[in-house]
Amino acid sequence: MPYKKGKRVKRRTHKETVEDLAEGVEAPRSLVFCKGKVGQEVNQLMHEWREVMLPYTGERLKIVKRNKIKDIIQLSKLYKCNTTHVFTCSPSGTNFRVLKSPQGPTLTFRVETFKLKGDILKEGRRQHMVTDSNSFSKPPLVVFNQFNNVDKHHQLMMTTFQGMFPNIVVDSFKLSHCHRVLLINYNKTHDVVELRHYGILARTAGVSTVAKKLSRNIIPKKMGDMVSVEELFMKGGDYLSDTDGEGEEVELTQNFRKMSSGSQTRLKLTEIGPRMTLSLTKVESGYWGGETIFHKHFAKTPEEMQETERRIKARERLKAMRKKEQDANVAKKKAAEDAKKDAKKRKREKAQKGDEEAGSDDDYEVVCEGDGPVADELENAEVLEGEQQSGQLKRPKVSFDTENAEVTEIDTPQFVEEPQKDLLPPKKRKPITRQMRQQIKQWKKAENQRDEWD
């Protein structure tokens, strides 16, 4: 970090880059957590699903057992989260909920099968390091497949998944921000949704395998049997293979990683996990509840749907009425507390005013004999208080003669001494411990024995 006049100057900033987003549009945020008692594998699945939703999710979010639904709603409002993803376990299996904030709907999925990142890497023939620390700094590209001519609840599911990720602005999109791909495929035969998470692997096309290895500072294994370097490039066989397996060769329009624009590049998708197969079982109209719009195992008649709607509306009216009554009771209680505080305040001010009036009297009583201007001045004059001493001061009487202009003191002030209190606090008695009780018992026992001997 550079210095300027002995102080460090910050050059790097950590502001959120919104180049790919439209102006005035915020990126959708999400909360991902487990609720209830789940196994270790489901907990690991939750953490890996958080990696899929990065960077617009809470990576270190912790939900404890005492947190209720109200706490989660307040948390989503605080961080402006659009969706909430909840993993739960039941005796029938693992469930996955997607809740749209704040009005709903709530989609409940049954997790038919899932595989973690480690299991997928073990299945692969070649374990390439596709992702790095920069791969999760941008959201993945979302690709939908086989969602044409589907039912309404499946269209709602596709719209909900689309709202989980930010929309791409094609004019300002950069290829350098493309690191991952999330494929959402709908299998109509089995009525399930398959989620696959891929990383993008890019290699330069038209270059032999030997040249690629040398460019990456890797020495080929059979290089020790050759006389010159020419044999490495002139000899046929596997050395001149210019493919890395499956992949599509494209021409780059922008700079992508270490390859410049206009170069021929072979792109390949490598699965990095997790992998989930979901079955939509239930759709509710509200956030974490509400009217059931769709259920996979139960079908309702129109009359039953109307009855359910009527019951939900009656419940909402009762809830609103109770809320109104509760607000009125709170306001009434607050008004009573304010009135009580005002009464105490008035009483305190009245007491302070009486103390000030009592303390404004003079410490001397003046008795004037005769009339005249001198007597009027004496009556209106202020007599200074003497030094305050310990005890009670009796107010003396002073007589003034207007003709001779002399002051005579009739009663001299007398001081009544008050008994001086002990300034030190009384000593506290030490508590009797168990050891002291045993010692006292031994002393008493010894005294009794001594009395018997006597």
Side-chain angles (χ1 to χ4, degrees):
M1 187 176 289
Y3 286 82
K4 184 178 180 181
K5 294 183 180 181
K7 295 182 179 180
R8 294 191 300 174
V9 180
K10 186 177 180 180
R11 295 284 177 86
R12 294 185 303 169
T13 57
H14 302 279
K15 294 181 181 179
E16 181 182 355
T17 57
V18 289
E19 298 176 357
D20 300 339
L21 302 178
E23 295 182 0
V25 178
E26 293 185 359
R29 303 176 185 274
S30 60
L31 296 177
V32 183
F33 58 91
C34 292
K35 187 167 179 61
K37 190 175 181 180
V38 297
Q40 186 177 359
E41 292 185 351
V42 177
N43 191 25
Q44 182 65 24
L45 176 64
M46 181 268 297
H47 285 286
E48 293 184 3
W49 184 250
R50 280 184 182 176
E51 292 182 357
V52 177
M53 302 302 297
L54 285 176
Y56 303 113
T57 187
E59 189 175 3
R60 300 180 181 178
L61 177 66
K62 290 184 179 180
I63 301 294
V64 296
K65 188 177 180 180
R66 62 177 177 270
N67 292 129
K68 305 297 181 183
I69 299 177
K70 292 183 179 180
D71 303 332
I72 298 171
I73 294 173
Q74 292 297 328
L75 189 65
S76 62
K77 288 182 180 179
L78 179 63
Y79 291 102
K80 299 180 181 179
C81 297
N82 302 82
T83 55
T84 305
H85 306 170
V86 187
F87 288 89
T88 58
C89 285
S90 63
S92 59
T94 305
N95 299 321
F96 175 57
R97 278 188 172 185
V98 180
L99 301 95
K100 183 73 174 174
S101 301
Q103 299 289 337
T106 301
L107 278 70
T108 304
F109 297 91
R110 176 185 171 84
V111 182
E112 301 291 345
T113 59
F114 69 90
K115 280 192 177 182
L116 302 178
K117 186 184 297 184
D119 300 334
I120 293 173
L121 289 177
K122 290 178 182 178
E123 289 180 356
R125 186 170 58 92
R126 294 181 181 178
Q127 297 183 7
H128 295 285
M129 291 300 296
V130 182
T131 59
D132 54 5
S133 58
N134 296 326
S135 300
F136 299 97
S137 61
K138 299 294 179 182
L141 299 177
V142 183
V143 179
F144 291 93
N145 188 31
Q146 300 293 333
F147 274 92
N148 299 327
N149 301 324
V150 293
D151 299 333
K152 290 184 178 180
H153 53 275
H154 288 101
Q155 291 179 359
L156 178 62
M157 178 178 60
M158 185 180 71
T159 306
T160 305
F161 278 119
Q162 283 179 344
M164 289 160 47
F165 302 94
N167 297 326
I168 295 176
V169 182
V170 180
D171 298 335
S172 61
F173 182 73
K174 296 182 180 180
L175 290 179
S176 58
H177 296 171
C178 184
H179 298 279
R180 299 176 291 135
V181 176
L182 179 64
L183 175 63
I184 303 176
N185 179 49
Y186 175 59
N187 191 342
K188 294 183 179 180
T189 307
H190 300 89
D191 193 19
V192 293
V193 179
E194 300 171 349
L195 301 180
R196 301 289 186 271
H197 189 212
Y198 296 95
I200 299 176
L201 186 65
R203 293 286 183 267
T204 305
V207 181
S208 64
T209 308
V210 176
K212 292 178 184 178
K213 289 183 178 181
L214 291 176
S215 64
R216 287 180 285 173
N217 297 327
I218 300 174
I219 299 175
K221 294 180 180 180
K222 296 183 180 181
M223 193 171 178
D225 300 336
M226 299 179 183
V227 179
S228 63
V229 184
E230 295 178 358
E231 297 182 12
L232 187 64
F233 294 96
M234 297 299 295
K235 196 172 182 181
D238 296 336
Y239 297 101
L240 298 178
S241 175
D242 60 344
T243 62
D244 274 340
E246 297 178 359
E248 185 176 356
E249 187 175 336
V250 295
E251 183 179 352
L252 297 178
T253 58
Q254 299 179 10
N255 295 336
F256 183 67
R257 298 179 184 176
K258 295 182 180 181
M259 287 156 282
S260 59
S261 62
S263 61
Q264 294 293 328
T265 306
R266 190 174 295 278
L267 299 178
K268 181 182 177 182
L269 297 181
T270 304
E271 190 172 2
I272 58 177
R275 179 193 302 175
M276 285 195 296
T277 303
L278 306 177
S279 174
L280 182 64
T281 57
K282 190 177 181 181
V283 179
E284 296 170 304
S285 60
Y287 184 87
W288 217 305
E291 182 185 357
T292 303
I293 301 174
F294 165 77
H295 203 289
K296 185 177 181 180
H297 305 292
F298 301 98
K300 289 186 177 182
T301 61
E303 292 78 9
E304 291 177 346
M305 294 178 66
Q306 291 179 1
E307 179 66 21
T308 304
E309 186 177 359
R310 184 192 63 79
R311 188 168 61 251
I312 291 174
K313 288 182 178 180
R315 191 189 308 134
E316 290 178 354
R317 285 196 300 268
L318 181 61
K319 185 178 179 180
M321 185 178 66
R322 288 178 177 176
K323 185 75 168 56
K324 186 177 180 181
E325 183 179 357
Q326 186 179 10
D327 293 342
N329 294 335
V330 170
K332 185 178 179 181
K333 187 176 180 180
K334 189 176 180 181
E337 289 179 356
D338 293 342
K340 190 175 180 180
K341 288 181 180 179
D342 292 341
K344 287 184 178 180
K345 187 177 180 181
R346 287 195 299 269
K347 187 176 180 181
R348 187 166 54 250
E349 290 177 354
K350 187 176 180 181
Q352 291 178 358
K353 189 176 180 181
D355 294 342
E356 290 176 359
E357 291 177 356
S360 63
D361 297 337
D362 297 333
D363 291 337
Y364 292 90
E365 184 179 353
V366 180
V367 180
C368 298
E369 296 179 359
D371 298 327
V374 180
D376 297 337
E377 291 179 4
L378 246 177
E379 288 182 357
N380 298 327
E382 295 182 358
V383 181
L384 297 176
E385 295 183 1
E387 295 183 357
Q388 194 74 15
Q389 301 181 8
S390 62
Q392 297 178 357
L393 177 63
K394 290 187 176 181
R395 297 162 63 179
K397 290 185 179 181
V398 180
S399 178
F400 181 79
D401 191 359
T402 55
E403 295 179 359
N404 301 324
E406 292 181 357
V407 178
T408 305
E409 186 177 343
I410 301 173
D411 296 334
T412 58
Q414 298 179 2
F415 297 93
V416 181
E417 294 184 357
E418 292 183 353
Q420 190 174 4
K421 296 181 179 179
D422 191 4
L423 300 179
L424 297 175
K427 292 184 179 180
K428 292 185 177 180
R429 193 175 176 185
K430 292 184 179 179
I432 300 175
T433 61
R434 183 179 179 183
Q435 187 177 3
M436 294 172 65
R437 289 195 185 95
Q438 292 179 357
Q439 195 172 4
I440 291 170
K441 286 182 179 179
Q442 291 178 1
W443 290 344
K444 289 183 178 180
K445 189 176 180 181
E447 288 180 0
N448 294 334
Q449 291 179 357
R450 197 180 299 112
D451 294 341
E452 290 177 1
W453 294 340
D454 295 340

